[in-house]
Amino acid sequence: MRKIFTLFLLFISQVLPTFAFGSEEKIITEVYSKINPAIVCIDAQLNGGVSCGSGCIIDKSGVILTSAHVIESYKNIIVTTYDGKNYEAKVLKRFEDKKDIILLKIDTKEPLKTVKMGDSEKIKVGQKVLAIGNPFGFSGTLTQGIISRIDYVKNRIQTDAAINPGSSGGPLLNKKGEIIGINQAIFNPDNNISNIGIGFAIPINSVKEYLAEKDFI
């Protein structure tokens, strides 16, 4: 009986197919592995509590790009890297206009992983995109979707990739792992009761142009 059982197991192992990641899954997992080390969690202590958001490391010395509304009226800012290390951050540059972007700086002895910025002028409606952030404090969360609409008047990208409170400041990525937008907001008619699949990101080209003008890239 034992020989029959052993032969049966051997037969099963030869007949059953070997499951592996599909080509698209492999692309997504590789993008996440590459980009997640350059994404941080931002906790800004406010008078009324804590504001949580995400950020992208754009310089290995510790310069972080995020949404300005994440740290509005802050007292102090704590940045947590993907490996769980905490750093006190300072505001490097606050841009006094309506772009809703801000630069933070943390001091670290080791060079940090950085993101690569893409070209948001090349994006298309229907294109698959990925988002990485810290929704509701769940750090390093990856979601995917498509570009649902491009609002040329308001200069923002609409996506159905799940974006929730805590995702602001995180990257919207193409399948090459390049940032095409900075996640900013969601359409929220029911006060965070549900996510209805309408999120918005600032096109990365407008951010790049602005940073270049101010000599930060």
Side-chain angles (χ1 to χ4, degrees):
M1 178 64 70
R2 185 173 182 178
K3 288 184 179 181
I4 295 174
F5 183 68
T6 303
L7 289 173
F8 177 74
L9 288 178
L10 180 61
F11 173 77
I12 290 294
S13 66
Q14 291 176 343
V15 172
L16 290 177
T18 301
F19 292 98
F21 288 124
S23 58
E24 184 169 342
E25 289 176 314
K26 186 177 180 181
I27 290 171
I28 293 172
T29 56
E30 288 177 351
V31 167
Y32 181 80
S33 297
K34 179 181 178 181
I35 299 299
N36 189 51
I39 309 305
V40 301
C41 178
I42 300 171
D43 292 319
Q45 293 186 0
L46 315 177
N47 289 328
V50 178
S51 173
C52 299
S54 306
C56 309
I57 301 172
I58 63 172
D59 187 88
K60 63 182 180 180
S61 66
V63 179
I64 297 166
L65 172 67
T66 188
S67 294
H69 72 265
V70 170
I71 64 161
E72 188 174 0
S73 302
Y74 72 96
K75 286 185 175 181
N76 63 298
I77 308 166
I78 300 298
V79 167
T80 305
T81 53
Y82 82 107
D83 54 0
K85 295 179 180 178
N86 294 324
Y87 300 89
E88 187 171 346
K90 62 182 179 180
V91 174
L92 182 62
K93 180 65 178 178
R94 182 188 295 272
F95 299 104
E96 302 297 338
D97 62 11
K98 296 181 180 180
K99 285 192 178 292
D100 191 29
I101 58 172
I102 197 167
L103 294 180
L104 306 178
K105 179 70 170 63
I106 60 175
D107 294 323
T108 174
K109 296 179 181 179
E110 300 178 356
L112 300 174
K113 297 287 186 179
T114 60
V115 295
K116 181 179 181 180
M117 297 187 186
D119 185 353
S120 55
E121 289 187 4
K122 294 181 179 180
I123 63 175
K124 303 290 184 182
V125 172
Q127 173 182 337
K128 289 190 176 182
V129 290
L130 308 171
I132 301 177
N134 306 288
F136 299 107
F138 296 109
S139 60
T141 295
L142 171 70
T143 57
Q144 67 174 323
I146 62 169
I147 295 175
S148 306
R149 177 172 174 263
I150 303 171
D151 190 332
Y152 294 101
V153 175
K154 295 183 179 180
N155 193 34
R156 60 186 184 180
I157 302 166
Q158 180 179 324
T159 179
D160 68 348
I163 298 172
N164 287 287
S167 297
S168 291
L172 189 67
L173 304 156
N174 61 23
K175 290 172 67 175
K176 294 180 181 179
E178 300 168 335
I179 296 182
I180 57 172
I182 297 296
N183 297 322
Q184 181 187 37
I186 59 174
F187 183 63
N188 185 25
D190 56 6
N191 296 317
N192 294 334
I193 295 175
S194 61
N195 182 304
I196 60 175
I198 300 179
F200 301 99
I202 304 170
I204 199 61
N205 281 21
S206 63
V207 176
K208 286 193 301 183
E209 291 169 3
Y210 201 72
L211 294 179
E213 289 175 4
K214 304 299 181 180
D215 296 325
F216 282 99
I217 59 173

